[in-house]
Amino acid sequence: MIHKSKPSGRAIGKMVRFLVLAGAAAWLALGPHGQAIAAGEMSQDQFDKRVRDYILAHPEVIMEALQSLDARQREAEAKEAKATLAAKADDIFHDPASPVGGNAKGDVTMAEFFDYNCPYCRQVAPVMAQAVADDPQLRIVYKEFPILGPDSVFAAKAALAAERQGKYVQFHKALYDAKTRVTEAVVLRVAAEIGLDVPRLKTDMQLPDIQAAIDRNAQLAQALKISGTPGFVVGEQIVPGATDLATMKELIKQARAGK
């Protein structure tokens, strides 16, 4: 499900003022008897009255103009997103520090920005797993994006450190399967349960490139205007928020068709 942006109060105010002027111009072009009237030939009060009369006589133009504004904003945002995706494609889909799941050589890649303590990320995790199971050509890129506090940062660092032991995807799944807030204690317990070398994990978590990878993801999310979790990038589309399996498959289908 892709959320559509709404015009801001400031944008609406500007549009209304624009409508007032446009309406005034149309109304002032002809006087009540079909004679051309120049704006300079009337007082401010006369001008204001004509504007008010026009808007009251044609209120539908405000809604039409707002709908046009909304469409133009969506078009502009789509163009901006497409340009950003093109410029950041390697960072999104081919950063060597971002773990990969699914088919590493698949023909369509879906990148997910997530936080282990985000309930919506936990909700969508089985959806992603099903998408991978149903599509042998789907490649997943995991973007650790811990925005919900220190516990989330600890979990993200641990997950990236688990990649160095070849168990990222297993650890990633196990953290969601814990079905509880992912605290430091939970992270270390889950790590031990899946057979990770916990002392090595703790050491690797402190490596500068682990933090650097998280910082790059945060900068990338900002560039893509992904401010919450989860956030997905599929083909040329940025999808904020959790989504269902049917929508996810449709996005993958569109991305595959666009190749």
Side-chain angles (χ1 to χ4, degrees), residues 7 19 21 31 34 92 119 122 139 171 180 207 213 218 226 229 232 236:
L19 287 169
L21 293 175
I92 298 168
R122 182 173 291 111
R139 177 175 177 265
F171 187 51
T180 184
L207 294 174
I226 296 174
T229 53
F232 299 92
E236 295 182 346

Side-chain angles (χ1 to χ4, degrees), residues 92-96 98-111 128 132 135-142 233 252 256:
I92 298 168
F93 301 118
H94 301 291
D95 183 347
S98 295
V100 173
N103 183 345
K105 296 182 179 180
D107 63 355
V108 171
T109 299
M110 177 168 62
M128 289 187 65
V132 169
D135 190 337
Q137 289 298 316
L138 180 60
R139 177 175 177 265
I140 303 294
V141 173
Y142 297 97
V233 183
I252 294 166
R256 183 167 284 132

Side-chain angles (χ1 to χ4, degrees), residues 52-118:
R52 181 177 182 278
D53 289 345
Y54 181 86
I55 295 298
L56 290 176
H58 305 281
E60 69 279 0
V61 299
I62 293 181
M63 183 56 67
E64 291 172 3
L66 289 176
Q67 290 171 346
S68 176
L69 173 65
D70 193 36
R72 290 184 180 185
Q73 284 183 326
R74 289 199 303 271
E75 182 180 358
E77 288 169 358
K79 287 182 178 178
E80 182 181 359
K82 188 173 182 179
T84 302
L85 286 174
K88 302 286 186 180
D90 281 344
D91 294 333
I92 298 168
F93 301 118
H94 301 291
D95 183 347
S98 295
V100 173
N103 183 345
K105 296 182 179 180
D107 63 355
V108 171
T109 299
M110 177 168 62
E112 182 194 13
F113 290 77
F114 61 91
D115 183 307
Y116 288 109
N117 281 312
C118 165

Side-chain angles (χ1 to χ4, degrees), residues 155-206:
K157 288 183 176 182
L160 291 175
E163 171 76 348
R164 294 167 181 265
Q165 297 185 42
K167 292 191 173 185
Y168 177 89
V169 174
Q170 184 180 355
F171 187 51
H172 176 88
K173 181 178 183 300
L175 286 178
Y176 281 133
D177 287 346
K179 300 186 186 305
T180 184
R181 178 165 182 82
V182 180
T183 62
E184 292 188 20
V186 170
V187 167
L188 297 178
R189 172 176 60 78
V190 169
E193 288 174 352
I194 68 167
L196 282 165
D197 181 336
V198 175
R200 178 187 168 188
L201 186 80
K202 290 181 178 179
T203 298
D204 288 345
M205 286 172 63
Q206 306 307 314

